[in-house]
């Protein structure tokens, strides 16, 4: 299920055409929550616990969806 990544500020909207490294799909905490079918607070708790890696860009928090998938696979084993 694809997640639409909608930038929340003007700076990010201006840089939508900036290429990202191949294989990187970035999402916000709300986007990851929708992707996983959980509450945004659950995603924030997973980040705080270290179960989910995240990247802070100023005030923005972004999560690589490939790392979300890898974390889920690791937790299943």
């Amino acid at each position: 299920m694809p997640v639409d990544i909608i930038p929340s500020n003007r700076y990010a909207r201006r840089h939508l055409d900036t290429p990202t490294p191949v294989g990187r799909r970035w999402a916000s905490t709300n986007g990851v929550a929708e992707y996983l079918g959980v509450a945004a607070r659950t995603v924030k708790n997973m980040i705080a616990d270290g179960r989910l890696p995240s990247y802070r860009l100023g005030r923005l928090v972004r999560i690589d969806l490939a790392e979300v998938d890898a974390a889920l696979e690791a937790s299943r084993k």
Side-chain angles (χ1 to χ4, degrees), residues 49-75:
D49 294 344
R51 292 182 283 161
L52 194 59
S54 65
Y55 303 90
R56 184 173 289 279
L57 305 167
R59 288 178 35 186
L60 300 175
V61 175
R62 293 293 177 248
I63 302 132
D64 184 1
L65 292 178
E67 291 177 351
V68 172
D69 293 336
L72 286 178
E73 287 298 320
S75 70

Side-chain angles (χ1 to χ4, degrees), residues 6-69:
I6 301 171
S8 60
N9 64 23
R10 285 178 283 158
Y11 176 80
R13 281 189 216 121
R14 284 193 307 248
H15 294 86
L16 274 178
D17 297 331
T18 305
T20 58
V22 175
R24 294 277 187 170
R25 299 174 299 149
W26 297 100
S28 65
T29 52
N30 290 334
V32 172
E34 183 179 325
Y35 180 72
L36 295 176
V38 298
R41 185 74 232 161
T42 303
V43 173
K44 292 176 185 176
N45 287 338
M46 291 173 74
I47 292 169
D49 294 344
R51 292 182 283 161
L52 194 59
S54 65
Y55 303 90
R56 184 173 289 279
L57 305 167
R59 288 178 35 186
L60 300 175
V61 175
R62 293 293 177 248
I63 302 132
D64 184 1
L65 292 178
E67 291 177 351
V68 172
D69 293 336

